[in-house]
Amino acid sequence: MRHSNRFRPAWLAAAVLCMGAARAAAPAPEASVDPSNSDQVIVPQVERREVHKPRYPSNDFQGTFYLGGYSAEQFGASGTLGARLAYHITEDWFAEASYGQTKINDKSFRQVLPGGVLLAPYERLQTYDLSLGYNVFAGEAFFGTRTARAYQTYVTAGLGNTIFDTERAQTWVYGVGSRLFFGDSWAVRVDVRNHLYKFDLLGQRQLSQNYELTAGASYFF
Amino acid sequence: MRAAASNSVRGAPGFARALALALAAAVWAVAILPRDARAEEPPAAPGPGTAPAVPAATDRPAAPDAPLATPSAPTTPTPDSVAGGTRVERVQVTDPYLELHTFPGRGYPIFHVAARGEWVAIELRHTDWYKVRTATGKEGWVHRSQLVSTLGEDGEPQRFADLTLHDYLQRRFEVGAAYGRFHSEPMDKFYASYRFTDTLSIESDFEQVQGTFSGTTLWNVNLQAEPWSDRRFSPFAGIGIGKFRNVPNRSLVQDLLTNVRMSDAVVGARWHVTDRLVLRADFTIYTAFASDSRTLEYHAATVGLGLFF
């Protein structure tokens, strides 16, 4: 087989680099002509005005700490904690990165198999993902007759990883959640997420559904 | 048996190719430097040399019952408008009215309207919504679309710039995620890049491949060139170095962990979709230096979404 007959992306990469070089080396169009050298009879005397670009403080980022429960299929539920960082792109859409960890035990397996199926009785499970969220319902929640707070219910879906028992498993994450605002900067939230990944247990690889229910406090900045 | 072992094994050409690409990038990087020296002029602030600019206060269409610049209008920031060193922007309403919502969202009730000619202070922005305070102390959220025609303290239309292509072209940071195939196995990829010149950026990638019998983790740092960075759709190419780590499933016997250095070459393209969203597709060749005499070569293609800042 002749290599030259094959599509070689590496050569394409080299070609693009060379094209970039050629483009960069090409002379740029000349800057605007100096008015003092032109034939213009009247040179307008325009005072330079101070133009400032308005800056508005914003709080599109949302940081969250959460606590809750993580239910690992085949192993049972345990406590979890983690953090999320969201960026609100528009009124409707946001992107969110999450990281959480929990400890999984194989107690129920050890009743049958004295050695258990995990390396240690308690194994740390870490999960992280990047999700896109959409605010589906927004409204006001009322406390008594004089206080109204804003809330938003949203759906999220994303992609991430689960690190457990020396394995790293690609993980699809989807869920639903709700946040209730306290002022412009603070919110409390509850989230239900399902983490879908394939896990090799006792030589058999199977898809596992792992639900997570968490409550957290958020700060917008 | 393992996914890694079943892949194509090639010798020295992989390394030679990476070396050649590194050389090409170095030449290219040197060539690009003069271009960056020609910095773009900021679009605003007309200078004395530009075309005659009539003071804008006179060419603005006059609203019949609204004074254009009331003598009482503050022309400099008042002490209360400078809080903590940041200037609070004040604008004058030119539309018949400004609708103040209770919270930043299109469905929240309108509880107050600010009339034409009234001055409001802008305190905070959340996505496309601005929290304003009227002279009477009412605070509410106004959508950007209602504020675009307001006048600033200099009597000029206040700028509430929506994110445009210009912002995309001036971007510095980009983060995102992508999904695709790595040697026919599913791969996810997370990336963050910093553009330090018009056409050059440094990108850090983290990839995870889910094989049937093993999982592969890759991370690499790339130097990327984007020759047509002034276009909405632009191809890019890059090379980099990193780590390749293949961990077989624990239930396999005779498993062998591979943790070696690698190099990579990538070609791809990005396209500014809207707002802060960037669509991106790429094709990468990873060359893992398994030993002195053996290299493993893998091809991967991914499609993903990124956010720029």
Side-chain angles (χ1 to χ4, degrees):
Chain A
M1 181 164 60
R2 287 178 58 209
H3 276 242
S4 56
N5 288 342
R6 296 177 57 193
F7 173 67
R8 306 300 299 174
W11 296 122
L12 185 60
V16 172
L17 285 169
C18 293
M19 277 189 280
R23 190 173 146 79
E30 285 303 312
S32 58
V33 182
D34 186 0
S36 58
N37 297 336
S38 67
D39 298 335
Q40 204 170 352
V41 179
I42 302 166
V43 180
Q45 298 293 316
V46 181
E47 270 183 48
R48 178 178 277 272
R49 289 186 301 126
E50 288 298 320
V51 177
H52 81 278
K53 197 177 176 184
R55 291 180 66 86
Y56 312 105
S58 63
N59 64 355
D60 289 340
F61 287 94
Q62 179 193 8
T64 303
F65 280 100
Y66 69 82
L67 291 166
Y70 183 98
S71 166
E73 190 177 332
Q74 299 147 335
F75 291 102
S78 51
T80 180
L81 83 164
R84 305 187 203 275
L85 180 67
Y87 175 74
H88 292 264
I89 308 163
T90 68
E91 181 186 337
D92 300 313
W93 292 94
F94 62 94
E96 187 167 62
S98 302
Y99 171 83
Q101 57 171 283
T102 178
K103 285 231 162 123
I104 303 289
N105 72 71
D106 59 351
K107 223 185 291 178
S108 51
F109 284 95
R110 280 172 198 265
Q111 288 171 351
V112 187
L113 301 162
V117 292
L118 300 178
L119 287 173
Y122 285 89
E123 277 287 331
R124 188 165 72 144
L125 181 146
Q126 298 175 78
T127 181
Y128 63 86
D129 67 84
L130 198 61
S131 295
L132 206 58
Y134 183 77
N135 296 321
V136 279
F137 306 121
E140 286 185 327
F142 301 104
F143 298 88
T145 53
R146 293 190 60 81
T147 312
R149 301 279 182 215
Y151 74 84
Q152 285 165 340
T153 301
Y154 47 85
V155 289
T156 66
L159 184 62
N161 270 298
T162 300
I163 306 161
F164 177 49
D165 194 33
T166 72
E167 283 185 32
R168 284 171 174 267
Q170 208 165 68
T171 308
W172 292 94
V173 186
Y174 66 85
V176 61
S178 191
R179 61 178 89 87
L180 178 69
F181 290 88
F182 290 92
D184 296 327
S185 298
W186 293 94
V188 292
R189 57 188 280 180
V190 287
D191 287 274
V192 183
R193 299 270 170 107
N194 187 10
H195 299 250
L196 279 164
Y197 57 85
K198 284 185 175 165
F199 182 65
D200 186 344
L201 184 70
L202 298 169
Q204 196 181 8
R205 195 174 157 72
Q206 52 190 335
L207 186 72
S208 69
Q209 312 236 10
N210 306 274
Y211 286 92
E212 182 190 55
L213 173 64
T214 61
S218 291
Y219 180 71
F220 287 80
F221 58 98
Chain B
M1 186 172 184
R2 287 192 300 116
S6 68
N7 287 317
S8 59
V9 175
R10 297 210 180 90
F15 183 71
R17 190 179 305 132
L19 206 66
L21 281 173
L23 211 64
V27 169
W28 187 86
V30 170
I32 200 74
L33 285 175
R35 188 182 172 202
D36 296 322
R38 300 191 291 268
E40 238 183 88
E41 278 292 310
T50 54
V54 184
T58 57
D59 66 7
R60 207 176 45 239
D65 57 344
L68 289 172
T70 48
S72 62
T75 49
T76 51
T78 51
D80 69 71
S81 70
V82 180
T86 56
R87 180 194 166 110
V88 174
E89 298 290 337
R90 291 157 68 92
V91 295
Q92 190 182 29
V93 183
T94 55
D95 276 356
Y97 54 85
L98 209 61
E99 295 174 331
L100 272 66
H101 294 247
T102 52
F103 296 108
R106 63 179 93 81
Y108 291 111
I110 298 158
F111 72 100
H112 185 76
V113 289
R116 186 192 301 222
E118 214 174 306
W119 283 87
V120 297
I122 295 169
E123 296 186 328
L124 186 64
R125 180 184 66 75
H126 182 70
T127 64
D128 289 335
W129 291 83
Y130 292 79
K131 188 180 189 182
V132 304
R133 183 161 46 84
T134 65
T136 54
K138 296 275 185 194
E139 285 186 335
W141 293 85
V142 181
H143 192 259
R144 184 208 311 273
S145 60
Q146 287 207 319
L147 288 168
V148 287
S149 64
T150 55
L151 303 178
E153 282 167 328
D154 51 3
E156 283 285 288
Q158 185 80 349
R159 281 193 285 173
F160 290 90
D162 203 351
L163 277 171
T164 57
L165 186 62
H166 180 76
D167 294 287
Y168 167 69
L169 299 177
Q170 299 293 315
R171 74 192 183 279
R172 280 283 167 261
F173 290 98
E174 188 182 329
V175 290
Y179 187 74
R181 294 278 146 183
F182 176 95
H183 203 82
S184 80
E185 285 170 339
M187 172 192 217
D188 53 14
K189 174 174 179 169
F190 302 95
Y191 70 89
S193 73
Y194 173 68
R195 201 167 69 134
F196 57 92
T197 75
D198 275 355
T199 52
L200 281 183
S201 55
I202 191 151
E203 176 172 302
S204 178
D205 296 331
F206 179 79
E207 296 101 336
Q208 174 70 35
V209 183
Q210 189 61 61
T212 313
F213 304 108
S214 66
T216 307
T217 304
L218 308 114
W219 67 261
N220 51 293
V221 178
N222 280 9
L223 180 69
Q224 274 188 9
E226 198 180 337
W228 293 276
S229 64
D230 52 349
R231 309 267 170 88
R232 183 172 207 164
F233 174 86
S234 74
F236 62 85
I239 54 162
I241 51 169
K243 272 285 211 189
F244 174 97
R245 186 182 156 91
N246 179 274
V247 183
N249 293 356
R250 200 161 58 82
S251 58
L252 293 179
V253 287
Q254 292 180 329
D255 53 356
L256 185 69
L257 186 136
T258 312
N259 189 14
V260 295
R261 291 196 182 91
M262 66 160 192
S263 70
D264 71 279
V266 60
V267 287
R270 18 169 99 73
W271 183 62
H272 174 228
V273 187
T274 177
D275 219 71
R276 286 199 189 280
L277 280 181
V278 187
L279 187 69
R280 140 191 176 130
D282 56 39
F283 180 85
T284 314
I285 298 174
Y286 298 96
T287 306
F289 308 117
S291 69
D292 286 347
S293 58
R294 197 170 75 109
T295 58
L296 307 168
E297 193 175 289
Y298 303 93
H299 297 174
T302 65
V303 177
L305 272 179
L307 290 176
F308 71 85
F309 297 98

